[in-house]
Amino acid sequence: KKDVPVANFIMHEIHCSRNIEVCRYCSELIPKSEMKSHVETEHVQVTCKCRMKIEKRLFKDHEASACPLRPAVCRYCDIQLAFNNLQDHEIYCGARTERCGGCGRNVMLKDLKEHPRACG
């Protein structure tokens, strides 16, 4: 898959066919001597804590951005919980109230950012 001068093409083709293999999973060109290691480190299936099976090479991305059990932080109380529990927690947590220092009214946490406009 590289440009090769015509004069070297036959030698290059022989070298490649003897030493290089195309990975059946990702289509990358891998030295034959490293294929077993490549498959074991990149394509072996691992099981996430959410019980999803995924290729090892994709695991970090899954864990960081797709796993329903990845850590997430509540925007109201800053506690850490699982992402799949975040929405329900924030609905509950945002409905808690705090007394406004300006007008003395109890204001829900989810409305605190907008309250200064109404409060004056």
Side-chain angles (χ1 to χ4, degrees):
K1 295 186 178 182
K2 292 183 180 180
D3 290 335
V4 178
V6 174
N8 299 344
F9 186 76
I10 293 173
M11 291 301 290
H12 178 84
E13 190 173 38
I14 292 168
H15 171 78
C16 277
S17 65
R18 285 186 183 160
N19 299 302
I20 305 293
E21 208 173 331
V22 177
C23 176
R24 67 179 181 258
Y25 300 107
C26 65
S27 300
E28 285 187 39
L29 299 173
I30 309 293
K32 285 183 179 183
S33 62
E34 297 174 18
M35 184 57 74
K36 183 179 177 185
S37 173
H38 169 78
V39 170
E40 288 173 356
T41 58
E42 298 294 321
H43 302 296
V44 69
Q45 294 282 312
V46 293
T47 303
C48 181
K49 60 188 168 194
C50 70
R51 297 189 177 151
M52 181 176 175
K53 289 188 184 256
I54 191 163
E55 279 188 13
K56 191 174 183 178
R57 69 187 176 101
L58 303 173
F59 183 70
K60 284 193 189 225
D61 288 338
H62 166 78
E63 200 173 37
S65 61
C67 180
L69 299 179
R70 68 187 181 271
V73 177
C74 173
R75 63 181 141 172
Y76 303 114
C77 68
D78 293 325
I79 68 163
Q80 186 172 317
L81 57 156
F83 180 79
N84 62 346
N85 295 326
L86 182 64
Q87 186 175 12
D88 289 341
H89 172 83
E90 284 186 340
I91 290 169
Y92 165 79
C93 196
R96 293 182 302 125
T97 60
E98 257 184 31
R99 186 169 301 280
C100 172
C103 66
R105 290 190 300 172
N106 287 326
V107 180
M108 285 194 286
L109 294 180
K110 68 178 183 173
D111 298 331
L112 273 179
K113 287 183 181 175
E114 303 296 322
H115 179 71
R117 287 189 220 151
C119 178

